Amino acid sequence: MDYVLTANALSKQYGHFKALNGLSMHVPKGAIYGFVGKNGAGKTTFIRLVCGLQSPSSGDFTLYGIHSGEKEIRKARRRMGAVVETPSIYLDMTAEDNLKEQYRVLGLPSLDGIRELLELVGLSDTGKRKAKNFSLGMKQRLGIAVALAGNPDFLILDEPVNGLDPQGIIEIRELILKLNREHQITVLISSHILDELSRLATHYGFLDGGHIVQEISAAELEDACRKCMRIEVSDTRALACVLDTLHTDYKILSNTRADIYAKLNVSQLTLALAEKNCEVLSLQERDESLEHYFMNLVGGEENA
């Protein structure tokens, strides 16, 4: 497989704290790679290293096959655009003037393409409005437009929908899909909004304790996210006894609720429970969510 970005045992230490601890990962060309981790897991630190904003304590990475220690890594980074933490925009400038300034920073020979870029991100009608008067979603889209100046084919977005309203989230989602599908741009997205990420990603890297605990494609993840039957009963101790005799995989959630990871004859299960004076209160089929899969993978109960 052809990879745009690979990392090998990448570490970053601040005093006694290791923000990254031997991180290794692989971003396939053409992918939308979901970079998933709890707050403080090291997602932004990794992005800053790849963008050249910080240097690793140990380990390395390659970008388009160019090693991070080579001089040519600067040229490789010119094929990459990024929005790190917050959009890099001038609030007292219009959208068009923001892009003109970025073109100058990049040393581009002409301003051709600015109008097309504004149309691409849905900001062609903003005229002389200054960015400080934009909505949060518009500012995020302008930040992406700035990152796209220079026509990169790899885009890194750090929490792109954080704080956006539902309409803003939809607009960013549609833009990312358009960039990937129509413009063949590989995208790395760091996000803790896992439900939204599941609508986009083709590949995932799950980060915990400063290193990747699993890389998996969306297709593989779909297979791994098992369907289950959520059952509510009067006594899960009786339920556990019955399921153990049936050699069925299950998980007790509370004194009254459990998930059963198998297809069972509901009538037989109900009768077996009735013999133990256990009543079935409700029953419904469920798919395991990306968030549930992630929390099972890394453990703990806090938000990713």
Side-chain angles (χ1 to χ4, degrees), residues 83 140 144 157-162 164 168 172 176 189-191:
V83 180
Q140 190 66 268
I144 292 175
L157 302 176
D158 188 13
E159 301 282 0
V161 299
N162 198 22
L164 300 188
I172 294 295
I176 292 170
I189 305 174
S190 157
S191 182

Side-chain angles (χ1 to χ4, degrees), residues 136-178:
L136 189 58
M138 292 170 68
K139 290 175 183 175
Q140 190 66 268
R141 283 184 279 132
L142 178 55
I144 292 175
V146 170
L148 292 171
N151 199 28
D153 47 19
F154 180 35
L155 183 63
I156 295 179
L157 302 176
D158 188 13
E159 301 282 0
V161 299
N162 198 22
L164 300 188
D165 60 22
Q167 180 61 34
I169 290 174
I170 291 171
E171 290 170 351
I172 294 295
R173 180 204 310 158
E174 291 178 348
L175 175 58
I176 292 170
L177 289 172
K178 186 174 185 178

Side-chain angles (χ1 to χ4, degrees), residues 26-280:
H26 312 79
V27 179
K29 182 178 179 180
I32 299 179
Y33 188 102
F35 194 32
V36 183
K38 298 176 184 178
N39 292 327
K43 300 188 299 293
T44 299
T45 298
F46 173 76
I47 290 171
R48 292 178 68 84
L49 295 183
V50 173
C51 291
L53 300 175
Q54 292 180 326
S55 299
S57 302
S58 62
D60 52 50
F61 63 88
T62 60
L63 187 61
Y64 295 105
I66 298 175
H67 189 273
S68 55
E70 299 178 26
K71 290 182 179 179
E72 289 78 8
I73 192 66
R74 293 194 176 197
K75 183 183 289 186
R77 284 197 178 106
R78 292 183 73 88
R79 297 180 60 182
M80 178 181 73
V83 180
V84 185
E85 297 182 286
T86 57
S88 297
I89 58 177
Y90 297 99
L91 296 177
D92 285 322
M93 288 186 179
T94 65
E96 184 174 351
D97 286 342
N98 264 279
L99 288 178
K100 286 179 179 178
E101 186 63 28
Q102 183 65 8
Y103 270 49
R104 295 188 187 101
V105 169
L106 294 175
L108 298 177
S110 77
L111 300 178
D112 292 344
I114 286 181
R115 295 305 302 171
E116 290 81 358
L117 198 47
L118 288 172
E119 287 179 12
L120 177 63
V121 300
L123 296 175
S124 59
D125 61 350
T126 53
K128 296 187 179 299
R129 287 176 62 190
K130 293 183 179 180
K132 65 183 178 183
N133 297 317
F134 288 1
S135 68
L136 189 58
M138 292 170 68
K139 290 175 183 175
Q140 190 66 268
R141 283 184 279 132
L142 178 55
I144 292 175
V146 170
L148 292 171
N151 199 28
D153 47 19
F154 180 35
L155 183 63
I156 295 179
L157 302 176
D158 188 13
E159 301 282 0
V161 299
N162 198 22
L164 300 188
D165 60 22
Q167 180 61 34
I169 290 174
I170 291 171
E171 290 170 351
I172 294 295
R173 180 204 310 158
E174 291 178 348
L175 175 58
I176 292 170
L177 289 172
K178 186 174 185 178
L179 293 173
N180 178 254
R181 294 171 180 175
E182 298 181 19
H183 297 266
Q184 288 74 55
I185 295 176
T186 303
V187 187
L188 170 67
I189 305 174
S190 157
S191 182
H192 70 279
I193 305 178
L194 303 188
D195 178 61
E196 179 59 30
L197 195 58
S198 68
R199 302 170 190 263
L200 291 166
T202 62
H203 296 75
Y204 297 90
F206 295 103
L207 180 68
D208 188 45
H211 67 279
I212 294 290
V213 294
Q214 185 181 49
E215 286 188 300
I216 190 170
S217 71
E220 291 169 330
L221 182 61
E222 187 175 345
D223 289 339
C225 285
R226 299 176 295 173
K227 288 186 176 181
C228 71
M229 189 163 58
R230 173 68 56 84
I231 188 170
E232 186 174 1
V233 295
S234 57
D235 183 7
T236 51
R237 290 174 298 179
L239 175 66
C241 290
V242 171
L243 294 177
D244 285 340
T245 62
L246 296 173
H247 306 290
T248 299
D249 190 13
Y250 64 90
K251 181 178 181 181
I252 301 298
L253 303 175
S254 69
N255 290 334
T256 59
R257 290 190 307 155
D259 284 341
I260 303 173
Y261 299 100
K263 286 189 176 181
L264 295 175
N265 185 303
V266 176
S267 297
Q268 290 180 355
L269 177 62
T270 303
L271 289 172
L273 290 172
E275 291 178 2
K276 294 185 176 293
N277 296 316
C278 178
E279 182 182 359
V280 176

